[in-house]
Amino acid sequence: MSSPIPMKLIRRTLILLTLLVLALLVTAWWLLRGSLAQLDGEQALSGLSAPVRVMRDELGTVTVDAANVEDMARALGFVHAQDRYFQMDLLRRMAAGELSELVGAAALPIDRAHRAHRFRARAERAIAALTPEERARIEAYRDGVNAGLQALSTRPWEYLVLRSEARAWRSEDSALVIYAMFFDLNSNGANLRELNLERMRAVLPTALVDFLVQPGSEWDAPLRGGPLPAMPMPGPEQFDLGALPATTIAAATLDPQDLGWLPGSNNFAVSGALTSHGAALVADDMHLGLGVPCIWYRARLRYPNAETEGGQVDLNGVTLPGVPGLVAGSNGRIAWGFTNSYGDWTDWVRVQRDPADPSRYLNATGGAAVVRHRETLKVRGGADEYLLVEETEWGPILARAADGGELALRWTAHDPRALNMRMFEIDGVGDVARALELAASFGMPAQNFVVGDQAGNIGWTLTGNAIPRRQGFDEQAPADFSADGTGWQGWLDPSEHPRLLNPESGRLWSANARTVDADWLRLEGDGGYDLGARQQQIRDGLFARTRFDPAAMLAIQLDDRAIFLERWHGLLRQTLDALPADRLAALRAQTARFGGHASIDSVDYRMVRAFRMHVIEATLAPFEALAKARFEEFKLPSAQGYEAAVWAMLEARPAHLLDRRHGDWNALLIAAAERIEKELGGENGGLAARNWGERNTAAIRHPLSRALPGFLARQLDMPAEPLPGDNNMPRVQSPEFGASQRFAIAPGHEDTSYLMMPGGQSPHPLSPFHGAGHADWARGIPTPLLPGAVAYTLVLR
């Protein structure tokens, strides 16, 4: 029989284990604290011409006071790196297709898709082509970033979790951050919409496709022109579902854009004639994926400039970590913001190989060699993977047409002219006319640019230095560019960009829907515009008032009225009223009235929204099934939610366009209503407990939190709280998507303007700025644009 273990030994062992755990915790805390940004004191920063003061308020808003623009860029790079280096690293790696090197094989699908564009090589060429002034700003920023990274006591905490090193910043990495925005704003560079449109046309009659994929609806509210005429419904002699075998899909799968999950934005402005102080008022909320940290970084940037009125540049607004300046906000004389244009910036080009030599292809001058690149994808914890990229003069070969032919992607982002740093020349611009002229030369994705000035002028144009001049082909389908005079025949001159200055109404608006008509629409094209309901509601909100202040602009931004769904509520009630009283009684009770808001406690809103989605999915199911039977990878192309076509069918009730699984259109509507009770009624509390807030609960998370235990993840993520709003209304909101910032700014009156931002200024869980300001954003409480009282001061010497 073994002797018992002495208590003294047990006590000593427990003490040692306790000390070991404490030592580990202290070490972890020390390492974590060592990656905090320096907020106070002095710090050497090589290359400065004079000391720079970096001040922060209680929200972490950074004020940089510098002697010149290069010093400002250097200091901004320093603070970006100290607060946001991991975010910057993810953006450059995402654009370059280099994520797997950091996080492992799980990122290979993204890397394969993105590396095919070879944006690192393009970024190197873009930086080399910059003007000396632009390059000086980029290089000063680069040196500031690397100095900020080196000044941390330990590497940023995310790299400690990943057990990885932070790679130094290079000049071309700033270009990659801009290319990352091209991916985000141009449907990931995949142009799946046009591929699926072609597949759809290969299976269904052209008249039916044109009817389903309507170019507009009665919800259109463009800046110029009116709603487009509806495409006619094809008759049974053109297409009859009843004559075809039954399909196997009961509910179609809509494109993320039709579900409101892709980047969009609101911006609008009123002229000085409608404000008390005579200055214009510009509102902007850019809708993007939400996370910790927010993609934007609040800043005030000040430096002398002899060419600027008053001799001083004073910028307030949001910066993008990775690039050296203000993206949206005010310079004291003008205020500006952006929304995604959803113009057509990509085309598929048919590649015809030379039958005698498949390494060559036909072009307008006869032929050219396919250029081959062997790209190495480094994989953390795994073997390298090699990717063969074949390029033509039009772009890389990335897809196949419906007939199996090879397709090369022509994308504005691939052209060297698509990227420059002219955007930051706006620092010193003093009036709307000059801002509109300059915006047409910005090297960035084509965006709706709305601007107002201190004198009360307002204007709109498309940004982007690379808007193609198309000729001789249908831009909605793969085309042969090998014929002379066919394809992209150069680029629009900045003077040819659509432009509006001081409209008679004194109001401008854009919200990702179509903004123009006629010749301007032919220039911009259709890359999959959003349904016009949100844009119309903003327009109507602007015309409902005659006087404006920041509070009036915020009321429009926070408008969660579901005007768009009112007719769907009427259709649901009509459907339910035709049933026996005891059938679908719970749904009948919850939708007896329609509150008309996407508020967190609204059950009726959730029910009506679900009814609409179920009806659309059931209506489109047979068309999706027919296309998928031939093309397994087919997905319904975005088409403004198919609202126009589906509503037209619900009004006309055409038997030849009805899925055979339903006896008539009433049966389809009843089935959609029954699906609500089946999917939601069985949960705890029944339908009465299924409010919108339950469905729309924030999931604003740090990229690494999913890999951490729950109690640690909660220290990184924002609160999981219900949020009002939805798509198809000004207050766009889903759990992981929504307004990445909101502001309303009157240039020259920044002291009365506001800027609110989710996620906080810092992703560091020990930072005083982690989550700072998020609660105000969630509740719609305006945060002042200008920084508050100085809480911390760092002097860079």
Side-chain angles (χ1 to χ4, degrees):
M1 185 174 178
S2 59
S3 57
I5 300 174
M7 288 301 297
K8 183 181 289 187
L9 179 59
I10 294 175
R11 284 195 297 271
R12 286 178 178 176
T13 302
L14 290 173
I15 290 170
L16 285 172
L17 287 173
T18 301
L19 291 174
L20 178 61
V21 170
L22 287 173
L24 290 172
L25 289 173
V26 169
T27 301
W29 180 86
W30 179 81
L31 289 170
L32 188 61
R33 188 164 183 78
S35 62
L36 277 168
Q38 182 179 349
L39 305 181
D40 279 314
E42 295 190 0
Q43 172 66 45
L45 178 56
S46 176
L48 290 176
S49 67
V52 175
R53 287 168 57 84
V54 178
M55 296 160 283
R56 288 176 168 90
D57 65 6
E58 63 179 7
L59 291 179
T61 306
V62 165
T63 298
V64 174
D65 274 335
N68 54 53
V69 65
E70 285 82 14
D71 283 0
M72 180 277 293
R74 196 177 302 269
L76 183 63
F78 184 94
V79 298
H80 275 170
Q82 292 226 315
D83 272 330
R84 298 288 193 89
Y85 195 78
F86 185 66
Q87 172 197 352
M88 296 162 63
D89 194 11
L90 291 183
L91 285 172
R92 67 174 172 178
R93 287 178 180 274
M94 186 273 284
E98 298 170 353
L99 283 169
S100 300
E101 184 180 11
L102 180 67
V103 301
L108 274 172
I110 297 174
D111 282 356
R112 292 184 193 116
H114 289 194
R115 183 66 69 86
H117 299 277
R118 302 186 64 251
F119 274 130
R120 182 166 288 282
R122 298 181 196 278
E124 290 170 356
R125 292 195 293 271
I127 294 298
L130 295 178
T131 66
E133 294 78 13
E134 290 173 333
R135 197 156 52 248
R137 185 165 178 162
I138 283 285
E139 290 171 353
Y141 181 81
R142 172 202 65 199
D143 293 345
V145 168
N146 289 325
L149 184 62
Q150 291 299 316
L152 294 171
S153 300
T154 60
R155 56 195 154 164
W157 68 267
E158 292 95 340
Y159 297 95
L160 297 173
V161 173
L162 293 171
R163 292 173 295 167
S164 180
E165 295 296 327
R167 192 172 69 192
W169 196 256
R170 298 162 64 176
S171 295
E172 62 265 24
D173 291 336
S174 289
L176 284 170
V177 169
I178 298 175
Y179 283 133
M181 299 310 293
F182 272 97
F183 274 119
D184 208 16
L185 299 169
N186 289 177
S187 301
N188 221 26
N191 197 13
L192 292 178
R193 183 174 188 269
E194 287 181 16
L195 284 179
N196 286 314
L197 278 171
E198 192 212 12
R199 293 165 183 158
M200 207 172 181
R201 293 182 192 282
V203 175
L204 303 174
T206 297
L208 176 59
V209 176
D210 290 344
F211 168 70
L212 292 174
V213 187
Q214 295 274 346
S217 72
E218 71 262 43
W219 297 101
D220 287 352
L223 291 170
R224 195 184 83 166
L228 298 176
M231 302 301 290
M233 185 183 302
E237 72 284 356
Q238 295 171 288
F239 182 82
D240 188 353
L241 273 175
L244 299 175
T247 58
T248 57
I249 297 177
T253 302
L254 295 184
D255 184 272
Q257 184 173 326
D258 290 329
L259 297 171
W261 295 347
L262 288 186
S265 303
N266 304 326
N267 66 3
F268 45 99
V270 295
S271 73
L274 303 177
T275 65
S276 62
H277 42 57
L281 192 51
V282 177
D284 186 72
D285 45 304
M286 295 180 276
H287 306 149
L288 296 167
L290 303 178
V292 177
C294 176
I295 188 172
W296 310 114
Y297 188 87
R298 296 177 65 114
R300 183 176 195 175
L301 309 174
R302 299 189 290 206
Y303 61 91
N305 184 335
E307 298 178 2
T308 301
E309 182 182 345
Q312 177 83 7
V313 168
D314 186 359
L315 304 168
N316 284 278
V318 294
T319 64
L320 175 62
V323 295
L326 200 75
V327 173
S330 165
N331 67 10
R333 294 171 294 282
I334 64 169
W336 68 95
F338 303 96
T339 68
N340 199 13
S341 65
Y342 281 104
D344 187 3
W345 315 122
T346 52
D347 281 309
W348 289 111
V349 183
R350 291 185 175 275
V351 178
Q352 302 176 64
R353 300 271 185 170
D354 186 338
D357 182 0
S359 68
R360 297 180 61 80
Y361 64 97
L362 304 181
N363 65 9
T365 59
V370 175
V371 179
R372 293 187 162 198
H373 304 277
R374 188 173 185 262
E375 296 287 321
T376 302
L377 303 179
K378 295 188 175 297
V379 183
R380 184 182 175 205
D384 291 353
E385 184 175 300
Y386 299 97
L387 182 70
L388 178 64
V389 179
E390 292 190 304
E391 280 201 274
T392 68
E393 64 186 66
W394 308 299
I397 300 173
L398 297 178
R400 289 193 176 273
D403 60 9
E406 291 182 304
L407 298 175
L409 183 69
R410 191 77 164 104
W411 184 12
T412 56
H414 290 154
D415 197 273
R417 70 181 289 124
L419 193 145
N420 60 44
M421 297 295 155
R422 294 206 67 191
M423 175 181 178
F424 300 122
E425 293 180 27
I426 204 168
D427 289 6
V429 170
D431 61 82
V432 163
R434 173 58 185 145
L436 294 176
E437 179 184 329
L438 180 64
S441 65
F442 288 173
M444 63 178 290
Q447 302 285 287
N448 292 303
F449 176 75
V450 168
V451 59
D453 65 26
Q454 192 172 9
N457 302 296
I458 57 174
W460 165 90
T461 191
L462 283 179
T463 66
N465 198 37
I467 295 182
R469 194 185 304 278
R470 292 180 167 95
Q471 182 175 310
F473 70 101
D474 177 4
E475 62 268 23
Q476 292 290 300
D480 178 8
F481 282 16
S482 65
D484 188 31
T486 300
W488 290 15
Q489 304 297 307
W491 308 92
L492 292 189
D493 184 82
S495 64
E496 298 177 271
H497 282 222
R499 187 179 301 176
L500 291 172
L501 175 63
N502 289 330
E504 185 177 351
S505 71
R507 299 163 175 86
L508 289 168
W509 59 91
S510 75
N512 315 120
R514 180 176 61 85
T515 54
V516 294
D517 66 350
D519 55 330
W520 284 1
L521 182 58
R522 286 190 290 274
L523 291 176
E524 187 172 349
D526 182 356
Y529 291 119
D530 197 7
L531 183 69
R534 171 164 52 97
Q535 188 161 291
Q536 186 182 107
Q537 198 161 326
I538 291 170
R539 180 202 65 185
D540 293 350
L542 289 171
F543 279 95
R545 300 171 184 265
T546 57
R547 305 297 291 175
F548 292 86
D549 58 13
M553 305 299 261
L554 181 59
I556 295 175
Q557 289 176 316
L558 298 180
D559 182 4
D560 62 7
R561 289 177 301 147
I563 296 172
F564 169 70
L565 284 184
E566 288 175 355
R567 67 182 186 181
W568 284 94
H569 174 253
L571 180 62
L572 175 58
R573 292 304 309 172
Q574 179 184 332
T575 302
L576 295 174
D577 289 345
L579 297 175
D582 60 344
R583 190 173 174 190
L584 297 177
L587 182 60
R588 189 193 305 268
Q590 296 304 322
T591 58
R593 57 174 296 276
F594 186 52
H597 287 261
S599 54
I600 60 175
D601 58 353
S602 176
V603 174
D604 54 281
Y605 175 81
R606 186 176 181 182
M607 301 299 110
V608 175
R609 183 189 193 275
F611 176 69
R612 172 181 178 263
M613 297 307 301
H614 295 341
V615 170
I616 292 174
E617 290 164 359
T619 302
L620 298 178
F623 309 116
E624 180 185 54
L626 289 169
K628 286 184 80 71
R630 180 169 169 186
F631 303 103
E632 185 179 354
E633 67 276 27
F634 174 80
K635 295 182 179 179
L636 283 169
S638 64
Q640 302 184 27
Y642 291 87
E643 178 72 19
V646 171
W647 194 259
M649 285 189 272
L650 291 173
E651 288 186 319
R653 309 287 174 105
H656 63 287
L657 298 181
L658 177 66
D659 191 337
R660 287 176 56 186
R661 74 182 65 245
H662 305 291
D664 56 27
W665 283 93
N666 282 333
L668 183 148
L669 297 173
I670 293 167
E674 288 176 334
R675 186 177 162 192
I676 298 173
E677 282 216 349
K678 180 180 178 181
E679 293 182 357
L680 300 178
E683 299 180 31
N684 187 38
L687 288 186
R690 305 282 76 80
N691 61 44
W692 179 240
E694 178 189 60
R695 163 69 172 73
N696 207 41
T697 296
I700 302 173
R701 310 184 69 176
H702 188 279
L704 297 184
S705 71
R706 290 171 176 81
L708 298 174
F711 73 95
L712 290 177
R714 285 190 290 274
Q715 305 308 309
L716 297 176
D717 300 337
M718 294 299 102
E721 57 186 322
L723 297 171
D726 194 9
N727 60 339
N728 294 319
M729 60 186 61
R731 188 168 190 166
V732 170
Q733 189 66 64
S734 70
E736 299 175 290
F737 182 85
S740 60
Q741 48 69 240
R742 293 188 193 101
F743 68 59
I745 302 175
H749 302 271
E750 284 74 14
D751 57 333
T752 64
S753 304
Y754 64 83
L755 165 62
M756 58 182 78
M757 201 174 79
Q761 186 86 324
S762 171
H764 200 298
L766 298 184
S767 170
F769 313 129
H770 178 265
H774 177 84
D776 285 350
W777 169 87
R779 290 160 181 74
I781 300 172
T783 304
L785 169 69
L786 294 181
V790 174
Y792 306 90
T793 301
L794 172 66
V795 179
L796 302 174
R797 297 189 181 280

